Amino acid sequence: MARAKYLLGALCVTGLCFGTEARPAPPAPSGTVMGDVAARMQPGTWAELSTAGFGGPLLTCIGGHSILEWTGKATWDPRSQQFLYIGGGHYDEQKFITYSAATNSWTLQPRTPWDTGILEMLGHAYERNAIDPVDGNHFYLDAGARFSHKYDIARRSWSRTPAHDFGVVGAAAQEYFPERGGLVLLTARNVYFFSEQTGQWSQPGNDLALPADHCFASYNPLHQAVLLGGGSVLYKFDSSGRLTRLGNPPVTLGITFTVVTPDPVSGKYLVFSGNGQDRASEVLRFFEYDLAGDTWTQLWTAGQANAPMLFRVGFNPVFYTAAAPATTFGVSMFITYNWNDSKVLLYKHSAGGGPPPPPPPPGPQITEPPEGTTFVAGQTVTVRGTGSNLSWSVNRTPDGLPPFAQGTGSNLTFTVPADSTDSQFIDATLSGDGGSVSRRYVIVAAGAPPGGTPNPSGSGDGSCGALGMEGILPLALIARRRRRSAG
C-alpha cells in the first residue's frame, strides 16, 4: 500500500493523474538535443535524431546478424532520460545498449552477467525488455530462463527475481506494471505475475486464446493497464488483476508482424504493421488503437502519400525496429536497422510535450559531469553531487584494483590514470544518507585522434568547469563501439 501511495503521488507530480481522457501535458524540458527536436515537432510529424555512436557497428553482431532482429520493444527511463535495449541476433552476439539524452550519445554497456559470449543461445529480444519507471529498474528475461534479470540503472548493478516453477518459451513477453508493483509475464498462452512486495509468482490467467509465442505486452500509464496480444487476439490486464478479452484487431499482431507502442501523451497505441520476416507480401499499414473504446483507426496504408518515416528508411522496418515511449519529451522513439543506414527516429502523435521526470529519489545525486561523458587518460576531473554526509569512491573498470580516488563532501577532484586504455571506464560512486548512486564515464587513451583538447576553455587547471564539460572530447571521436567484458 505504501508503494502504491508513493507511486500515485509521483505520477500526479508528473502531470499523469490518470483518468479516462488524456490531459494536456506541460512543455517538454529543453536543454538537450532530443528535447529541442521534440519541442519543435508538430502532431503527426517525424524527425530523424542525429546522435553520436549509433549505426551499423553498434547494432550488428559479430556473426553478421543484428540485435534488432525478432523484437519490437525497448524501454525509456524518465529519471535518467535514457533509452535502454538488450537484444541479440539469431544464435549470435547479445548486446546491451543505452542512449543518454544528456549527452545525445549511445553506449555499448559491459556484457551482462548471464552472457557467456558463447554463440549458442537464442539472442532475440522479442518483448522481453521492461522498465519500472518509478524505482528506475530495467528488467530483461533471457531465453528460456525461469526468472527475470533486474538492472538498477542508477547503481549499475544486477540482481534477479526468484525463480518460478512453470515453463517459459523463448519468445515470451514481459512488462512491468507499476500500479501492481511487479512484472507481467505472457508465455505459452498463460499470464503470470511477479509481486516485488511479496516475492511470489501467481497465475492470473491460463489457456488464453493467444498464440503460444511471439506475443507482445505493453503497459499504458494513462489507462493503468497492460495490453496483451498476439495473432488476432487482444486482452487487457488491469490494475485490479482482471483479464478482459477485447475485440479482434484488423491485422495480425505480434513479433515480426507489428510494432506496438503507446503514445506517451494521449495513451493511444501506435501500431505499425506489415513486411515481417518472410512476409514481404503483407501491406504496410499504420493504425491508432484506443484502448478505452476498443476501437481501431487506420491512419495510413501502402499506396497513400506521406508514408510514416519508419516505413521509408528501413528495408524491413517492422522486423528490425524497437520502440519506446519517451515520456520525458512526449514523443515515441524508434531505432531501426539498415546496416550503415540505420536510424534513430522520433514521432510526435499528440499535441503537448512530455511530463517532467518524476521527483528525484531520496539520497545522494551526482549532478555533473553527465552520464557517458568522455575523459582523456591523464586528465584532471571534478565530479559534483548533492546530499548529506557524502563520500566518494572512484574506480577504473575493469582493472581489479581498489578505488584510485576517494573523498568526502559535495565534490571530488581526481586525475584519470595515465595508463588507462580505450577498453576501460571510470565508475564514480557517491554515498550518503539515503543510499548511493553511480555514474559511468568513457575513457579515451592519451594520444587519441584530434578533435578536442584536454582543456579547450583555457582555464589552466584542467578541471571540469561549472557544467562539468570543459576538457571533454566529443563522443564522436569514440563512435566505434568496443566489446567489453563486465567489470
Side-chain angles (χ1 to χ4, degrees), residues 411-474:
N411 60 73
L412 176 71
T413 298
F414 61 88
T415 299
V416 179
D419 61 349
S420 298
T421 69
D422 285 358
S423 64
Q424 294 176 311
F425 295 97
I426 294 295
D427 286 335
T429 300
L430 178 62
S431 301
D433 293 344
S436 61
V437 64
S438 297
R439 278 193 178 174
R440 173 159 289 183
Y441 304 103
V442 179
I443 299 176
V444 171
T453 61
N455 188 16
S457 65
S459 62
D461 63 2
S463 64
C464 294
L467 295 179
M469 291 297 294
E470 284 86 353
I472 307 304
L473 289 176

Side-chain angles (χ1 to χ4, degrees), residues 202-466:
S202 59
Q203 186 174 358
N206 64 294
D207 199 23
L208 302 181
L210 287 166
D213 56 14
H214 289 194
C215 295
F216 75 91
S218 179
Y219 169 66
N220 193 309
L222 184 74
H223 301 292
Q224 300 184 19
V226 173
L227 185 65
L228 307 171
S232 59
V233 178
L234 276 173
Y235 286 89
K236 180 177 72 172
F237 184 52
D238 64 28
S239 58
S240 68
R242 181 175 61 250
L243 273 167
T244 303
R245 174 78 180 264
L246 301 169
N248 293 341
V251 290
T252 302
L253 299 173
I255 297 301
T256 80
F257 291 99
T258 50
V259 173
V260 179
T261 188
D263 171 43
V265 177
S266 69
K268 305 290 180 61
Y269 279 98
L270 312 175
V271 182
F272 301 86
S273 170
N275 275 12
Q277 173 75 355
D278 299 327
R279 301 177 180 91
S281 62
E282 291 185 0
V283 175
L284 292 173
R285 288 187 281 181
F286 174 29
F287 293 88
E288 175 191 87
Y289 172 66
D290 182 1
L291 179 59
D294 192 18
T295 56
W296 290 79
T297 303
Q298 181 171 285
L299 303 180
W300 182 89
T301 188
Q304 295 179 338
N306 302 317
M309 187 179 288
L310 178 64
F311 290 154
R312 291 185 272 122
V313 300
F315 71 101
N316 195 339
V318 170
F319 185 67
Y320 286 108
T321 293
T327 54
T328 309
F329 304 113
V331 296
S332 300
M333 183 173 180
F334 302 79
I335 56 173
T336 186
Y337 178 69
N338 191 6
W339 289 282
N340 289 329
D341 197 29
S342 300
K343 304 288 187 183
V344 181
L345 303 177
L346 304 180
Y347 173 67
K348 189 179 189 67
H349 189 64
S350 303
Q365 297 293 305
I366 298 177
T367 57
E368 55 187 74
E371 178 88 11
T373 294
T374 306
F375 300 147
V376 181
Q379 176 186 345
T380 299
V381 176
T382 298
V383 289
R384 295 179 173 85
T386 60
S388 303
N389 297 319
L390 299 176
S391 62
W392 293 89
S393 177
V394 183
N395 292 76
R396 182 175 62 178
T397 304
D399 68 2
L401 299 176
F404 68 84
Q406 294 177 300
T408 59
S410 61
N411 60 73
L412 176 71
T413 298
F414 61 88
T415 299
V416 179
D419 61 349
S420 298
T421 69
D422 285 358
S423 64
Q424 294 176 311
F425 295 97
I426 294 295
D427 286 335
T429 300
L430 178 62
S431 301
D433 293 344
S436 61
V437 64
S438 297
R439 278 193 178 174
R440 173 159 289 183
Y441 304 103
V442 179
I443 299 176
V444 171
T453 61
N455 188 16
S457 65
S459 62
D461 63 2
S463 64
C464 294

Side-chain angles (χ1 to χ4, degrees), residues 38-129:
R40 293 193 297 268
M41 296 174 68
Q42 298 300 312
T45 62
W46 293 78
E48 180 179 349
L49 181 64
S50 296
T51 61
F54 188 80
L58 181 71
L59 305 178
T60 303
C61 308
I62 59 176
H65 290 272
S66 169
I67 64 173
L68 291 179
E69 297 175 1
W70 303 86
T71 189
K73 181 176 69 177
T75 69
W76 177 265
D77 174 36
R79 291 196 179 282
S80 62
Q81 297 185 17
Q82 289 189 86
F83 180 101
L84 302 96
Y85 176 80
I86 299 172
H90 188 70
Y91 291 97
D92 205 336
E93 182 183 19
Q94 187 179 79
K95 293 181 179 181
F96 177 19
I97 63 173
T98 58
Y99 164 81
S100 168
T103 62
N104 194 40
S105 64
W106 293 85
T107 299
L108 174 62
Q109 298 292 341
R111 183 179 295 160
T112 56
W114 65 88
D115 183 359
T116 63
I118 301 174
L119 307 183
E120 61 181 20
M121 60 186 199
L122 191 63
H124 306 156
Y126 298 109
E127 289 259 332
R128 302 198 304 252
N129 287 279

